[in-house]
Amino acid sequence: MAEEKQEHTIDIDAANLMAAVEDVNQTIEKFLDTASVGKVYAEPIRVGDTVIIPSAEVVAGMGFGMGVGFGRKGEGSQESGGGSGGGGGGQVLSRPVAVIVATPEEVRIEHVYDRTKIALAALTAAGFMVGMVARMLRGR
């Protein structure tokens, strides 16, 4: 018995697909603008002969995805199915790291230290060490 070969046609709605791609492009452009060099160095501040330039660390991460699916609407139906979707997300983190101070005599960089971050790191390390010592003493 010979198998019948069926041809399947897929109607892709090009307008919807292009709109989805355009949305993704706009999102990427906005995201990259958020993490631009202009966001790292703020506008210089003049105080007499001294110029102060605030500097920040900007970290950005993002991800997105799109999908399209097609098929028949039902058993024996001649109507083609369809479907599309997409999504994404991201985050931009910014924190001050230094201030550049330029005077007629010198240019220097004053670092900005986040005491909270340092304290949390110290507490985490201390907790880990206490846990390891307790575990070693329990083994005796």
Side-chain angles (χ1 to χ4, degrees):
M1 186 159 126
E3 290 184 28
E4 284 186 37
K5 197 173 198 181
Q6 293 182 354
E7 288 188 28
H8 296 281
T9 59
I10 298 174
D11 296 324
I12 298 176
D13 187 355
N16 284 340
L17 186 59
M18 291 307 293
V21 169
E22 185 60 31
D23 286 345
V24 169
N25 284 338
Q26 287 177 358
T27 302
I28 290 172
E29 286 176 14
K30 287 178 186 176
F31 199 79
L32 292 176
D33 180 55
T34 303
S36 69
V37 171
K39 307 300 187 243
V40 174
Y41 294 102
E43 290 295 319
I45 302 166
R46 279 198 181 275
V47 180
D49 287 345
T50 304
V51 178
I52 301 168
I53 304 169
S55 176
E57 174 184 48
V58 178
V59 179
M62 71 177 291
F64 63 91
M66 295 173 49
V68 178
F70 290 93
R72 298 278 179 214
K73 291 226 177 191
E75 192 67 35
S77 172
Q78 292 302 314
E79 289 184 62
S80 62
S84 64
Q91 184 174 18
V92 177
L93 300 171
S94 175
R95 66 181 188 94
V97 293
V99 177
I100 302 167
V101 180
T103 65
E105 296 81 32
E106 66 178 349
V107 175
R108 68 181 189 279
I109 298 174
E110 299 289 334
H111 294 280
V112 175
Y113 296 103
D114 186 350
R115 290 186 178 117
T116 304
K117 196 172 189 178
I118 293 169
L120 287 174
L123 287 173
T124 301
F128 180 75
M129 287 188 284
V130 167
M132 289 304 293
V133 168
R135 196 170 181 192
M136 289 172 19
L137 292 175
R138 210 175 341 146
R140 287 186 176 181

